[in-house]
Amino acid sequence: MRVLGIETSCDETGVAIYATDGGLLAHALYSQIELHARYGGVVPELASRDHIRKLSPLIQEVIDESGVESIDGVAYTAGPGLVGALLVGALTGRCLAWSRGVPAMAVHHMEGHLLAPMLEPDPPGFPFIALLVSGGHCLLVEVTGVGRYRVLGESIDDAVGEAFDKTAKLMGLPYPGGPALAQLARQGNPERFTFPRPMTDRPGLDFSFSGLKTFALNTWRASAQDDQARADIARAFEEAVVDTMAIKCRRAVRQTGIRQLIIAGGVGANQRLRARLGDLMDEENGHICYPRPEFCTDNGAMIAYAGWQRLRAGQSAPLSVSVTPRWSLEDLEPVEHA
Ligand code: KG4
Ligand code: ZN
């Protein structure tokens, strides 16, 4: 079975083909970052229009690159995300499937992220704990199979990528500031500032990041606002986020007894987070997996893979097109053969 996957939930247009024989045959990505950078964040209407402009050429590109003559199913991201952006992918995907007489599947964006490590040569087996850290989400999930998800904890306010981006912005870094902040942190002095580790002094697995962002703002205002202060704040902020994640992940491992952790979502590209959680899982005699950095951020490959898992189990979406901008992972139907 060959499945074409389409991702348009936010500011990246991603397309890929995943096949039972051969795995990932082709993938292509177009990022709208430059389009939104001048506004300091994603402008939803501009995002939708740019997806319309880019999606068909990208589909053509992956079909040509893969060399396949036909596809057996189409998967598209149906949520969570920006409603207009989601509709572009959903309508295109649903119509393409209808015109070819093949089934379509509406995929949950975060299921795509949490299954992305399956695209790597040494994929994790079930069960595992997934730390999903992106611009829109921050979740700890117990994963016992495809579609079998229990949310152990989540952010009660900002997502972690959002906190990275806002902290970067308040110090004058361009959007999206996460990677730039992480880069700056390398030159920062870890001894100069100490930021709080939010919600670690009480039991539970929920997160909160809006206080850290305010702490960063106050520290920045009280500083000389020069390059050294920027780097030192970036370092202290990153240390606090990474430490908080490590404390919660250790709790989740001990609470569930599951000794396998995967990190996915854009912030999963953060090197310090990967290193710290790697050490943690060594200490816990466990194992850690993550997708390659390009599959941590939004992409079509993870959607093609998640859609393939569901389509091959006989699931499909109706002919009517609908998207779900707010959608819980716990509402997904389990996949029986997995
Ligand atoms: O998963 P993703 O591409 O999009 C969403 O679904 O949100 O994640 C994007 C987020 C942005 O907030 C970006 O700043 C953050 O991931 N990010 C990073 C790094 N690379 C991307 N944050 C910290 N360190 C990084 N290296
Ligand atoms: Zn994402």
Side-chain angles (χ1 to χ4, degrees):
M1 174 175 239
R2 288 170 296 221
V3 176
L4 177 83
I6 297 174
E7 157 62 34
T8 64
S9 67
C10 190
D11 59 349
E12 253 114 23
T13 319
V15 182
I17 296 180
Y18 189 89
T20 310
D21 294 325
L24 189 63
L25 301 183
H27 65 98
L29 186 81
Y30 170 76
S31 170
Q32 302 178 352
I33 281 178
E34 267 177 46
L35 173 73
H36 301 291
R38 57 192 286 216
Y39 303 101
V42 178
V43 182
E45 182 56 25
L46 293 181
S48 315
R49 292 180 197 197
D50 219 37
H51 285 307
I52 293 174
R53 200 169 64 83
K54 275 290 174 186
L55 186 52
S56 297
L58 277 188
I59 292 173
Q60 192 61 56
E61 190 182 318
V62 299
I63 287 177
D64 292 347
E65 192 192 317
S66 68
V68 300
E69 309 238 306
S70 61
I71 47 165
D72 307 298
V74 180
Y76 53 84
T77 304
L82 302 170
V83 65
L86 289 167
L87 276 169
V88 177
L91 278 163
T92 308
R94 192 67 200 80
C95 292
L96 193 62
W98 177 76
S99 71
R100 301 281 147 151
V102 298
M105 188 68 218
V107 172
H108 191 294
H109 180 79
M110 300 313 288
E111 174 169 71
H113 275 306
L114 76 78
L115 295 178
M118 301 297 188
L119 294 162
E120 299 307 323
D122 185 17
F126 299 113
F128 55 79
I129 291 169
L131 175 67
L132 299 179
V133 278
S134 72
H137 293 87
C138 181
L139 293 166
L140 261 172
V141 187
E142 182 185 282
V143 180
T144 47
V146 179
R148 297 179 186 279
Y149 310 128
R150 187 163 70 95
V151 176
L152 301 170
E154 61 192 316
S155 176
I156 58 166
D157 41 54
D158 291 353
V160 61
E162 189 181 355
F164 262 97
D165 293 342
K166 287 179 176 171
T167 301
K169 190 176 176 179
L170 69 87
M171 295 195 293
L173 299 175
Y175 173 85
L181 198 82
Q183 188 71 31
L184 254 186
R186 292 181 191 194
Q187 285 114 51
N189 171 6
E191 311 295 332
R192 182 163 165 205
F193 301 115
T194 303
F195 279 39
R197 273 59 175 156
M199 295 183 69
T200 53
D201 56 352
R202 62 184 103 160
L205 294 169
D206 285 339
F207 303 90
S208 163
F209 294 108
S210 67
L212 268 187
K213 176 192 64 194
T214 311
F215 199 92
L217 178 64
N218 293 338
T219 311
W220 174 242
R221 282 189 177 148
S223 75
Q225 303 192 1
D226 55 9
D227 285 349
Q228 196 55 50
R230 201 177 271 117
D232 294 344
I233 290 173
R235 181 64 189 264
F237 172 84
E238 191 182 50
E239 285 285 345
V241 170
V242 168
D243 228 28
T244 304
M245 297 282 173
I247 292 167
K248 299 285 169 157
C249 286
R250 193 191 298 275
R251 266 186 211 171
V253 165
R254 293 194 175 165
Q255 189 175 306
T256 58
I258 297 174
R259 309 213 102 64
Q260 202 170 205
L261 177 72
I262 71 119
I263 320 172
V267 185
N270 185 284
Q271 293 303 330
R272 204 178 299 276
L273 181 67
R274 286 180 177 229
R276 178 71 61 85
L277 294 181
D279 290 346
L280 168 86
M281 291 313 284
D282 282 347
E283 287 159 27
E284 296 292 319
N285 292 320
H287 185 57
I288 190 156
C289 305
Y290 18 65
R292 67 196 87 164
E294 65 178 316
F295 291 162
C296 275
T297 43
D298 290 349
N299 65 85
M302 65 185 195
I303 302 304
Y305 179 80
W308 170 80
Q309 280 283 4
R310 290 181 173 277
L311 286 162
R312 76 185 177 123
Q315 296 183 10
S316 64
L319 273 179
S320 59
V321 179
S322 64
V323 295
T324 315
R326 287 179 174 272
W327 189 2
S328 167
L329 267 174
E330 289 182 338
D331 292 340
L332 293 180
E333 201 181 321
V335 169
E336 290 311 332
H337 67 242

